[in-house]
Amino acid sequence: MEVFPNSCLPRYLILLILLQLPTLDSAVFLAAHFDVIGPPEPILAVVGDDAELPCHLSPNVSAERMELRWFRKKESPAVLVHRNGREQDGEQLAEYRGRATLVADHIAEGRVAVRIHGVKASDDGEYRCFFRQDENYEEAIVHLKVTALGSDPHIHMEVKESGEIWLECTSVGWYPEPQVQWKTPGEKFPSTSESRNPDVEGLFTVAASVIIRDTSTRNVSCCIQNILLGQEKEVDISIPAPFFLKLTPWMVTVAVILMVLGLLTIGSIFFTWRLYKERSRQRKDEFNSKEKLLEEFKWKKAALHAVNVTLDPDTAHPHLFLYEDSKSVRLEDSRQKLPEKQERFDSWPCVLGCEAFTSGRHYWEVEVGDRTDWAVGVCRENVMKKGFDPMTPENGFWAVELYGNGYWALTPQRTPLPLAGCPRRVGIFLDYESGDISFYNMTDGSHIYTFPNNSFSGPLRPFFCLWSCGKKPLTICPITDGPEGVIIVANTKDLSKEIPPSPMGEDDSASGDTDTLHSKLIPIQPTQGAP
């Protein structure tokens, strides 16, 4: 009887284990298998609005530790990648940088979405949302249908010699291709000819024409329809009553006299135009010569205010490697293990100069060489360094960039810069009191772009950014080895003066092999960091 209580203990243990088995099996099943489910119907978005492309897991398990990826035709580069608790901008398509963000309010329940800001016509089509956990992955398809309601139609009318009336209906800004319908009271009829041509944004310009032969027709309307939105825009036109002219001998005589006078007038206008064009060409040559002298005077005047700029390692993105002279920077695939600081960029691959300017005029030059995908300029010291704020003057950035095959000023709508030649060295001139920031091509001394009449408050710092990796770094030029002296003589009184030598000179080491440079943020023999 004394051993009976002890013999019950194993039975209780076995019972407890059996009760836990369903829970363990369920947890293992959920970890090993899941499905990704997208919306059953396409998502409809209007151009310029925001669109969300949702996906969720079945069963509703947490996606916090999963790799989440939305992509178009191939997995990388993608529309958005979220891995290890953060977005991976290095794998993101350039057209979605700053436009695609993750909506993760319900990620613990397995429900997430990508939000595309400012939808464009090019965003229309199929997307795939891809979820991966360890070796298990699934994906779902999401369809985004983009639409746009164009401008109010306009009808142009011409009366032919035969008495027929030609009408053309035009409108811009439609997506997808709209339908055009002509109407008269009690009747609908198609166009005689139509054209639908996309503009640079992918929106369609519509031109549809029709010929009216029935002289009793008085009112005609043009209706353009957007099928996706189920909306249309319509315009009416009233056709005047027909009338026919009967030619008489005196009318023929007047017509011949007017024709002769017209030919004589055209001849005199032509010779006058030839004389005017020749004189205009002479004045233009004189003006261009003065303009060239003025531009050369401006950048040489700016060079009088040269400052010694160095790079601030505390602001450098972990993928940017600074070298021992604090003058050169290069973007690498590897990521350095650096202390987390409030002033460090964590998303855009940028770095600031150590110098902060609160007044006066300041000038420095940057050797860009033949490398691609860079941006240089000036920014406020307190710009947002965490996240993907657009680099615009409204957000405290005044910069120019080379991206792809084009040069751009980073204005809100990105201003293209039609440069005559590719600058290998860029000069930056800051006039704090005047509120001007100017950029010069130091290869030929020409002006690139100016951000005028800004109102600065607080410190401004030099700004540098690299968008792609390359063997050659971005290098701040030294303020030595300037030319021995330049005299500029212009035909105006304001420019007849001697300009002292420019303090900025050529430095062959800036365009040389960067393998001899040593990083200031890593040892001389750097160890590749975790990507």
Side-chain angles (χ1 to χ4, degrees):
M1 296 297 293
E2 295 178 354
V3 299
F4 178 76
N6 294 333
S7 65
C8 293
L9 181 60
R11 297 179 183 177
Y12 289 117
L13 291 176
I14 292 172
L15 180 61
L16 180 61
I17 292 172
L18 291 175
L19 291 175
Q20 292 295 325
L21 282 177
T23 305
L24 293 174
D25 291 342
S26 177
V28 171
F29 175 79
L30 293 179
H33 178 75
F34 57 85
D35 289 322
V36 178
I37 300 176
E41 300 294 333
I43 304 298
L44 184 64
V46 178
V47 169
D49 292 348
D50 296 348
E52 288 190 8
L53 309 181
C55 285
H56 69 273
L57 291 172
S58 178
N60 295 332
V61 295
S62 174
E64 291 176 306
R65 297 184 179 275
M66 292 187 179
E67 175 186 342
L68 311 178
R69 183 184 296 266
W70 277 260
F71 61 92
R72 302 292 300 266
K73 296 181 179 179
K74 55 183 182 178
E75 291 188 11
S76 182
V79 176
L80 182 138
V81 179
H82 185 272
R83 186 172 56 246
N84 299 328
R86 61 182 298 171
E87 295 181 14
Q88 306 295 320
D89 56 283
E91 299 182 46
Q92 192 174 35
L93 286 164
E95 61 187 288
Y96 289 100
R97 288 179 183 168
R99 293 181 56 231
T101 56
L102 182 69
V103 180
D105 297 341
H106 302 285
I107 192 171
E109 292 83 31
R111 295 181 176 273
V112 290
V114 62
R115 178 178 291 140
I116 300 176
H117 301 271
V119 169
K120 304 178 181 179
S122 59
D123 296 329
D124 183 88
E126 181 181 285
Y127 294 75
R128 292 179 180 268
C129 55
F130 174 94
F131 287 52
R132 184 202 300 270
Q133 183 175 37
D134 298 328
E135 299 301 323
N136 301 312
Y137 59 88
E138 291 292 341
E139 66 180 44
I141 297 176
V142 183
H143 291 277
L144 175 63
K145 288 189 177 295
V146 177
T147 184
L149 194 64
S151 64
D152 292 333
H154 171 74
I155 297 180
H156 174 69
M157 180 176 65
E158 288 185 11
V159 180
K160 303 295 184 180
E161 294 181 357
S162 61
E164 297 176 338
I165 297 176
W166 178 80
L167 302 177
E168 183 182 51
C169 179
T170 57
S171 181
V172 299
W174 294 85
Y175 195 88
E177 295 187 38
Q179 293 185 354
V180 182
Q181 184 73 63
W182 292 92
K183 301 178 183 178
T184 58
E187 183 184 2
K188 296 181 180 180
F189 52 94
S191 305
T192 304
S193 64
E194 290 185 12
S195 66
R196 301 176 181 87
N197 300 313
D199 58 18
V200 294
E201 298 295 331
L203 303 180
F204 287 94
T205 297
V206 182
S209 62
V210 70
I211 296 177
I212 305 298
R213 296 182 174 87
D214 187 355
T215 57
S216 64
T217 302
R218 292 293 175 269
N219 295 300
V220 178
S221 63
C222 172
C223 177
I224 303 180
Q225 302 170 325
N226 184 308
I227 303 301
L228 283 180
L229 288 176
Q231 299 182 34
E232 61 184 34
K233 290 194 174 183
E234 186 172 344
V235 64
D236 298 328
I237 188 171
S238 297
I239 300 176
F243 61 92
F244 299 92
L245 295 176
K246 294 183 179 180
L247 297 178
T248 59
W250 72 268
M251 294 178 67
V252 174
T253 303
V254 171
V256 171
I257 293 174
L258 291 175
M259 184 179 298
V260 172
L261 290 175
L263 292 174
L264 293 175
T265 303
I266 291 173
S268 62
I269 291 174
F270 174 76
F271 287 110
T272 303
W273 174 79
R274 287 288 300 272
L275 290 174
Y276 172 78
K277 185 177 181 181
E278 181 65 24
R279 292 181 180 178
S280 296
R281 186 185 63 79
Q282 295 175 355
R283 287 195 295 267
K284 184 177 180 180
D285 291 342
E286 295 176 359
F287 178 78
N288 288 340
S289 177
K290 292 180 180 180
E291 283 293 305
K292 185 175 181 180
L293 289 172
L294 283 169
E295 289 298 335
E296 187 174 0
F297 171 74
K298 287 178 181 178
W299 74 257
K300 288 186 177 294
K301 181 179 178 182
L304 296 175
H305 303 279
V307 293
N308 185 27
V309 173
T310 55
L311 301 173
D312 183 359
D314 290 338
T315 64
H317 186 277
H319 280 279
L320 291 180
F321 286 68
L322 275 59
Y323 294 95
E324 58 187 6
D325 58 357
S326 294
K327 294 285 189 178
S328 300
V329 59
R330 184 165 65 186
L331 180 66
E332 301 283 0
D333 289 329
S334 59
R335 181 183 180 89
Q336 303 172 92
K337 294 182 179 179
L338 302 176
E340 179 62 31
K341 295 190 176 183
Q342 183 65 28
E343 62 268 28
R344 187 181 305 284
F345 287 92
D346 68 348
S347 299
W348 296 125
C350 304
V351 61
L352 301 184
C354 292
E355 293 70 26
F357 308 122
T358 56
S359 63
R361 298 174 178 177
H362 310 278
Y363 177 80
W364 62 96
E365 294 181 4
V366 181
E367 183 78 23
V368 298
D370 56 2
R371 70 159 293 121
T372 58
D373 301 333
W374 49 261
V376 296
V378 178
C379 72
R380 289 199 299 263
E381 187 174 50
N382 61 350
V383 293
M384 290 292 295
K385 302 178 180 66
K386 312 298 182 185
F388 294 95
D389 270 10
M391 295 179 185
T392 60
E394 287 75 9
N395 292 331
F397 294 89
W398 296 268
V400 298
E401 73 170 0
L402 167 60
Y403 189 79
N405 296 323
Y407 293 89
W408 309 84
L410 298 185
T411 55
Q413 300 298 326
R414 291 223 316 167
T415 302
L417 303 176
L419 303 186
C422 299
R424 299 179 63 86
R425 179 181 288 195
V426 178
I428 300 110
F429 180 53
L430 165 64
D431 189 336
Y432 196 100
E433 281 73 18
S434 297
D436 294 344
I437 300 174
S438 300
F439 299 84
Y440 298 92
N441 178 0
M442 302 315 299
T443 302
D444 56 12
S446 61
H447 176 252
I448 296 177
Y449 189 76
T450 293
F451 292 89
N453 304 323
N454 298 283
S455 180
F456 300 133
S457 61
L460 301 180
R461 296 176 69 176
F463 163 74
F464 311 85
C465 192
L466 292 174
W467 299 119
S468 63
C469 301
K471 292 184 178 180
K472 295 184 180 180
L474 210 63
T475 303
I476 302 171
C477 301
I479 54 173
T480 57
D481 302 327
E484 304 226 341
V486 178
I487 297 178
I488 297 178
V489 180
N491 292 330
T492 59
K493 295 182 180 180
D494 294 337
L495 299 181
S496 296
K497 57 181 70 179
E498 181 176 337
I499 303 300
S502 168
M504 306 300 291
E506 297 293 334
D507 183 8
D508 295 336
S509 64
S511 60
D513 188 358
T514 59
D515 290 340
T516 60
L517 300 175
H518 302 305
S519 172
K520 192 171 183 179
L521 296 182
I522 61 174
I524 293 178
Q525 297 297 331
T527 302
Q528 296 294 329

